[in-house]
Amino acid sequence: MKSAKFPKTLWRIESNVNEKIPKSAPLAEYRRPSLIEKVLEATAVMWRVNNGLTKSHPYESRPHTWPWMRRGMAFWGADNRSIYLLGTPIIWWLSFGTVVIFAGVQVVLFFRDRRGFHDRLLGARERYMESVGFLSIGWVLHWIPFFLMGRQLFLHHYLPALWLAILALVGSIDLFTRRLSRKVRQVIMFALLLATVRMYFQYSHIAYGSPWTREGCERSKWLKSWDYDCYRFPEMSAKTPVAPALKPNVPEIPMPTMGAPDIGGQPVAIMRNKNGEVVANAPPPAQNFDPLEHENKLNEPAPEIHQDHLNSNSAKLDLEMKKKATTVEPANNAAGSDEHVAGEH
């Protein structure tokens, strides 16, 4: 349990046995909540915890940047390897374009219907709305709610909506290529598959932390906002081996540099360009941390327990124990005074 060492860690005791407690001792009883009550309680706890994650994060992003994948998220980095969350661009962008095209087609069809033109889209209009339309609506419902959240958000929050957009892409290709010949459809599918596999292997170096070269890393940056660190990888012309052995259990900690940005109270290394000049507003390098575990470090107070809602007899037992303690204490004091008087005589 890595998170057990953090302050204010909450421990949940599943069972407790004490052999010194007699079997006749009164036991506290709690009503077992129903399934609906458990779901409501879990939902309330998740809502409260997520609303408390309001601190800034060097790799957080906002929902309007997810569909076009403005930037990813660094997970880990050591020696000449790093892991960076980034999707396959052709799948990511084509799936988003499918949703945008569907919305545009529906707007055009609406105005054409108002003018008396009832386009059938080669007989696929109803199927287009039932399949791609259903998935596009699901994409909207999984993406728009994030605009209402003020907590930390990352690119991985877009993944549920991405799956629906990919299904919409497949459905659109299937519908609008049905009237083409079988050979043409196979060429289109093969070209799309070949481009996808090509990009998969191109970006697999930062997906799985495999060896890479600085030149290959620089060529893969289609957008300037993709801020994975290419200076971590060796140059192709260098004589040093491309993939030196990793040091086991020894994470690489960047040395602080004068003037380095202070993010979260920890100094980070400044990134430099090919000429050795400091890059302004450069993102921090990949650190050895688990973002999910980082979210669980929320310094929140312990949850309040309402005894009235538990329908428990613990409060009654507590009062009985206090009464017994108050009655036993005067009796002990009286016995002690009697012994003191007898000793004097």
Side-chain angles (χ1 to χ4, degrees):
M1 295 180 61
K2 296 182 179 180
S3 59
K5 60 186 179 182
F6 298 129
K8 294 188 177 181
T9 300
L10 301 181
W11 292 81
R12 175 174 296 176
I13 301 175
E14 298 292 343
S15 62
N16 182 24
V17 179
N18 191 338
E19 298 178 354
K20 296 184 179 180
I21 297 179
K23 296 182 179 181
S24 60
L27 301 177
E29 298 178 359
Y30 295 91
R31 181 179 61 85
R32 289 181 177 273
S34 63
L35 176 61
I36 297 179
E37 291 175 334
K38 290 181 180 179
V39 172
L40 294 177
E41 180 186 8
T43 303
V45 172
M46 289 187 292
W47 181 270
R48 177 172 57 85
V49 171
N50 280 273
N51 285 338
L53 298 173
T54 56
K55 296 182 180 180
S56 61
H57 192 279
Y59 285 100
E60 65 179 338
S61 56
R62 301 309 301 172
H64 68 276
T65 65
W66 298 341
W68 51 286
M69 200 166 57
R70 179 182 177 272
R71 68 183 305 215
M73 181 179 180
F75 281 91
W76 172 84
D79 294 334
N80 295 334
R81 307 168 189 239
S82 65
I83 295 180
Y84 186 90
L85 176 62
L86 192 71
T88 305
I90 187 172
I91 298 297
W92 204 286
W93 293 336
L94 285 180
S95 60
F96 174 58
T98 300
V99 178
V100 174
I101 292 174
F102 172 80
V105 169
Q106 296 306 311
V107 171
V108 172
L109 292 178
F110 173 78
F111 286 106
R112 287 182 62 83
D113 290 343
R114 296 294 297 270
R115 299 189 62 182
F117 300 96
H118 299 284
D119 302 302
R120 309 313 304 167
L121 297 180
L122 301 177
R125 180 173 180 176
E126 289 77 10
R127 185 67 180 273
Y128 185 55
M129 184 62 190
E130 292 174 358
S131 58
V132 181
F134 174 78
L135 296 170
S136 299
I137 293 174
W139 176 87
V140 172
L141 295 177
H142 281 77
W143 178 56
I144 295 299
F146 286 104
F147 287 91
L148 307 177
M149 299 182 183
R151 57 148 291 173
Q152 297 174 359
L153 294 174
F154 303 93
L155 183 63
H156 61 75
H157 289 115
Y158 179 69
L159 294 182
L162 176 64
W163 309 143
L164 296 172
I166 293 175
L167 293 176
L169 170 63
V170 175
S172 299
I173 295 176
D174 177 65
L175 284 175
F176 293 103
T177 59
R178 285 188 174 184
R179 293 184 175 270
L180 301 177
S181 63
R182 182 177 180 180
K183 183 177 294 185
V184 174
R185 293 189 70 184
Q186 289 178 349
V187 170
I188 295 175
M189 299 297 181
F190 180 77
L192 180 60
L193 178 62
L194 184 63
T196 303
V197 173
R198 172 67 179 85
M199 290 186 182
Y200 167 79
F201 284 105
Q202 182 179 9
Y203 293 97
S204 63
H205 303 283
I206 56 177
Y208 301 104
S210 58
W212 210 5
T213 61
R214 186 177 303 177
E215 290 79 5
C217 179
E218 292 290 349
R219 288 194 301 267
S220 68
K221 284 191 174 183
W222 292 7
L223 298 180
K224 295 181 179 180
S225 55
W226 292 354
D227 50 2
Y228 46 89
D229 186 11
C230 290
Y231 292 96
R232 177 180 299 275
F233 304 103
E235 296 182 356
M236 189 179 299
S237 58
K239 296 182 180 180
T240 56
V242 175
L246 292 176
K247 301 177 182 178
N249 300 327
V250 181
E252 178 183 343
I253 303 177
M255 297 300 295
T257 308
M258 187 64 64
D262 187 11
I263 300 176
Q266 297 294 332
V268 297
I270 290 180
M271 293 179 62
R272 301 178 181 275
N273 57 17
K274 296 181 179 179
N275 299 326
E277 300 174 351
V278 177
V279 180
N281 300 324
Q287 302 292 327
N288 297 323
F289 74 97
D290 184 354
L292 298 179
E293 181 180 345
H294 181 73
E295 291 187 11
N296 292 331
K297 295 180 183 179
L298 177 64
N299 191 13
E300 59 169 337
E304 299 180 359
I305 299 178
H306 301 282
Q307 297 291 343
D308 297 337
H309 298 167
L310 297 177
N311 294 330
S312 171
N313 63 342
S314 59
K316 181 179 178 181
L317 293 177
D318 187 49
L319 291 176
E320 293 178 357
M321 294 176 65
K322 288 181 179 179
K323 289 181 180 179
K324 291 181 180 180
T326 54
T327 55
V328 171
E329 183 176 356
N332 293 335
N333 293 336
S337 61
D338 294 341
E339 294 176 359
H340 179 68
V341 173
E344 290 180 355
H345 290 290

